[in-house]
Every structure is written in structure tokens, then in C-alpha cells.
Amino acid sequence: MGIDLVLSSGFLAFASHAGVLRAIEDLGVGIEGICGTSSGALVGALWASGLSAEEVLAVVTERPPLSWVSGHVAPWRGLFRLDPMIAELEARLPASFSALTCPLAVGVVHAADRSHQLLTDGPLPRAVAASCAVPWLFAPVDVGGQILADGAVADRTGLAAWRALRPDRHPVIHLVDRSAGARAEPSADPLWVVRSPRSRASLWSLGDARARFERSRRAAHAVLAAQLQGR
């Protein structure tokens, strides 16, 4: 059975997700598909594009998160726009999902009715930005004519939808403690779950990203090594 990776939402939890990726690299775990929501979508997309975990960490920490956004002239739609983030991702990511090194899905909701969807094709940079568009904080994003926002509003992992798409895969889940969004937790059936505390980062500073990277790397290494030994 192939192994897939599910990266949950988590406000600015980029470093924690990257730490899990580093443990996966260290252990040589072959990941065959990735499902990410919000910060998990951004980190998952960068990794699926061919960057290493350390390179992903460098990208997301090279400047304050506030530099990835701009003010909105219609703040009732969201205090900030994600146009700078989209431009950055267009420079770093392939234009479409199909050019990635492995299958990727990103969790979004439709702004009109908050219905959940996993995007698996189309314009990749805009889809990733939409998955990060926390309602009221960030304006929703137009992705191929669909107005979309952060999938965590309805589902923090997208696990059920991902498993419906890929029922023959075993999911490894990185679950960052909830700061906002839906309260859904993974079901009780056998899963490999790595847990990390919420980042407590802000738009002005990610804080000690390296410490969070290392903490999640160690947590993931312990869980994955034990599970792999028992397979």
C-alpha cells in the first residue's frame, strides 16, 4: 500500500510542516501524493515542486508574512489581498498541478456557501493562495472563475475527500493544533498521526521557526520510525 501525506491547516504553521517533511526525507519514506490545507497547501506545493524541506523552510521564512499580502480597498471582503503571495508563488511554482512531481490536492471552500472541495488541477499558484485565504483576514481568490477561500473553514485536513480519491493509499497526517477553522479530527481507524502545537506566529513575525521545525521533525521521526518498524 502506497503512503500519502496529509498536511492540516494551522495559522502560519509553515515551519512545523517543513520539519515533518525533513523527517520523511531523513527516513526515506516514499510519499506518493500530498493533500494540504491552508499552510499545509503552501508547504505541500513547494515540496511537490521539487524543493527540499530545508529549501521550503528558507522560502517561507526569508521575510515576514506581512510582505506576502497587501491592503484591501474593500476591507469588508478581507483586510488583506493575497496578490503579492500569488506573484511569489507564480515565480516559484509550476503554473499547473500537472507539472508537480507527485499528485497534490489543496483544500478550499466556495466563498458563497462554504462548501468544501479539494482542487487537484488547474492554476496551481492561485489555488494554493485560495487555500490560505482565511475568511475576513484575507479576501477570497478567483481560481478559474471560482471564488474560493481557506478550506479549513469546513475541514482542516480534507482527509475524507482525499481518501475517497485515493482509497488504496495509507495516509500519514500532520495535525497542527487548531487555532481556527473546523474542529474535525482524524477518525479512529489506524492512521499515522504526527501532532504539533499551534505556531503562535503572527503576520509581523514567524518567531523561532527553526525551533518549531526541529520539534516537528523529532515528533515525526518518532512516529514514522515506530510505524515503519512495525510494518
Side-chain angles (χ1 to χ4, degrees), residues 55-146:
E55 289 169 334
V56 170
L57 182 67
V59 168
V60 298
T61 60
E62 64 186 6
R63 60 182 191 271
L66 197 60
S67 67
W68 291 61
V69 304
S70 60
H72 202 309
V73 296
W76 55 90
R77 297 177 181 170
L79 291 177
F80 302 100
R81 295 175 61 91
L82 291 175
D83 294 31
M85 178 183 183
I86 293 170
E88 181 75 20
L89 293 179
E90 287 175 341
R92 293 186 180 273
L93 293 176
S96 67
F97 284 76
S98 60
L100 294 171
T101 60
C102 70
L104 172 75
V106 301
V108 297
V109 293
H110 292 262
D113 61 7
R114 301 293 172 89
S115 60
H116 184 265
Q117 181 180 352
L118 288 183
L119 297 181
T120 58
D121 57 22
L124 178 61
R126 298 190 72 87
V128 171
S131 189
C132 295
V134 179
W136 306 113
L137 182 59
F138 304 122
V141 177
D142 185 326
V143 184
Q146 300 184 94

Side-chain angles (χ1 to χ4, degrees), residues 8-11 156 175-180 195-199:
S8 81
S9 66
F11 187 64
R156 295 193 61 227
L175 187 64
V176 179
D177 285 348
R178 177 182 176 273
S179 54
R195 295 179 180 268
S196 293
R198 55 190 291 192
S199 72

Side-chain angles (χ1 to χ4, degrees), residues 29-41:
V29 179
I31 297 298
E32 298 180 2
I34 304 170
C35 177
T37 299
S38 198
S39 60

